[in-house]
Coordinates of all heavy atoms in Angstrom, one line a residue:
L384 N 18.3 26.9 -31.3 CA 18.3 28.0 -30.3 C 18.2 29.4 -31.1 O 17.5 30.3 -30.6 CB 19.6 28.1 -29.5 CG 19.7 29.1 -28.4 CD1 18.6 29.1 -27.4 CD2 21.0 29.1 -27.7
L385 N 18.9 29.5 -32.3 CA 18.6 30.7 -33.0 C 17.2 30.8 -33.5 O 16.7 32.0 -33.6 CB 19.6 30.6 -34.3 CG 21.1 30.9 -34.1 CD1 21.8 30.8 -35.4 CD2 21.3 32.2 -33.5
G386 N 16.6 29.7 -33.8 CA 15.2 29.8 -34.2 C 14.3 30.3 -33.1 O 13.3 31.1 -33.3
L387 N 14.7 30.0 -31.8 CA 14.0 30.6 -30.7 C 14.3 32.1 -30.5 O 13.3 32.9 -30.3 CB 14.3 29.8 -29.4 CG 13.7 30.3 -28.1 CD1 12.2 30.2 -28.2 CD2 14.3 29.6 -26.9
A388 N 15.6 32.4 -30.7 CA 16.0 33.8 -30.6 C 15.3 34.7 -31.7 O 14.9 35.8 -31.5 CB 17.4 34.0 -30.6
E389 N 15.2 34.2 -32.9 CA 14.7 34.9 -34.0 C 13.2 34.5 -34.4 O 12.8 34.7 -35.5 CB 15.5 34.7 -35.3 CG 17.0 35.0 -35.1 CD 17.3 36.5 -35.3 OE1 16.3 37.3 -35.5 OE2 18.4 36.9 -35.4
A390 N 12.5 33.9 -33.4 CA 11.2 33.4 -33.6 C 10.3 34.5 -34.2 O 10.4 35.7 -33.9 CB 10.6 32.9 -32.3
L391 N 9.4 34.2 -35.0 CA 8.5 35.1 -35.7 C 7.2 35.4 -34.8 O 6.7 36.4 -34.9 CB 8.0 34.5 -37.0 CG 9.1 34.1 -38.0 CD1 8.5 33.6 -39.3 CD2 10.1 35.2 -38.3
T392 N 6.8 34.3 -34.1 CA 5.6 34.4 -33.3 C 5.9 33.8 -31.9 O 7.1 33.6 -31.6 CB 4.4 33.7 -33.9 OG1 4.7 32.4 -34.2 CG2 4.0 34.4 -35.3
C393 N 4.9 33.5 -31.2 CA 5.0 33.1 -29.8 C 6.3 32.2 -29.5 O 6.5 31.2 -30.1 CB 3.8 32.3 -29.4 SG 3.9 31.5 -27.7
R394 N 7.1 32.7 -28.5 CA 8.3 32.0 -28.2 C 8.0 30.7 -27.4 O 8.7 29.7 -27.6 CB 9.2 32.8 -27.3 CG 9.8 34.0 -28.0 CD 11.0 34.5 -27.2 NE 11.4 35.9 -27.7 CZ 12.1 36.1 -28.7 NH1 12.5 35.1 -29.5 NH2 12.3 37.4 -29.1
R395 N 7.0 30.7 -26.6 CA 6.6 29.5 -25.9 C 6.3 28.3 -26.8 O 6.6 27.2 -26.7 CB 5.5 29.7 -24.9 CG 5.2 28.6 -24.0 CD 4.3 29.0 -22.8 NE 5.2 29.2 -21.6 CZ 5.5 30.5 -21.2 NH1 5.1 31.5 -21.9 NH2 6.3 30.6 -20.1
Q396 N 5.6 28.7 -28.0 CA 5.3 27.6 -28.9 C 6.5 27.1 -29.6 O 6.7 25.9 -29.8 CB 4.3 28.2 -30.1 CG 2.9 28.4 -29.6 CD 2.1 29.0 -30.7 OE1 2.5 29.3 -31.8 NE2 0.8 29.2 -30.5
T397 N 7.5 28.0 -29.9 CA 8.8 27.5 -30.4 C 9.5 26.7 -29.4 O 10.1 25.6 -29.8 CB 9.6 28.7 -30.9 OG1 8.9 29.5 -31.8 CG2 10.9 28.3 -31.5

Side-chain angles (χ1 to χ4, degrees):
L384 181 60
L385 284 182
L387 179 62
E389 301 276 11
L391 306 182
T392 55
C393 175
R394 290 199 197 279
R395 185 165 265 100
Q396 288 182 355
T397 303

